[in-house]
Amino acid sequence: MKNLNITKRRNNSIVILDMEGNIKLGEGSRELHDTIRHLVESGEKKILLNLANVSYIDSSGLGELVAGFATLEKNGGE
């Protein structure tokens, strides 16, 4: 079973990532990184992370959140 389930939806110009599970070292952290990177590469500028159903984030997961924000900001996003 995966540690993290990510569902994408859109509200106007904002891509919302609904996340459920754990963001921790391993598959969940990698999946979050890949999802954000893919969205930035496809030109998305506004991404909202819905963490309401995330039950646990370890230091690796927190690092991925920060790295994702930095990547998005560096490419003119928010």
Side-chain angles (χ1 to χ4, degrees):
M1 181 173 159
K2 291 176 16 176
N3 292 324
L4 181 66
N5 184 33
I6 301 174
T7 305
K8 289 182 259 182
R9 61 187 166 105
R10 180 176 288 284
N11 185 352
N12 298 318
S13 64
I14 301 170
V15 175
I16 301 167
L17 299 179
D18 295 309
M19 293 183 262
E20 182 177 1
N22 300 322
I23 304 174
K24 60 183 185 177
L25 182 63
E27 186 176 328
S29 187
R30 169 61 48 197
E31 185 177 359
L32 175 60
H33 172 85
D34 291 344
T35 300
I36 292 174
R37 184 176 47 82
H38 175 70
L39 288 169
V40 169
E41 287 174 354
S42 65
E44 296 295 343
K45 298 291 185 191
K46 295 183 179 182
I47 301 172
L48 176 72
L49 304 180
N50 177 6
L51 303 173
N53 292 316
V54 171
S55 53
Y56 178 78
I57 303 174
D58 71 3
S59 60
S60 176
L62 184 58
E64 286 301 336
L65 291 173
V66 172
F69 174 75
T71 298
L72 185 61
E73 191 174 51
K74 183 172 72 173
N75 288 282
E78 55 183 312

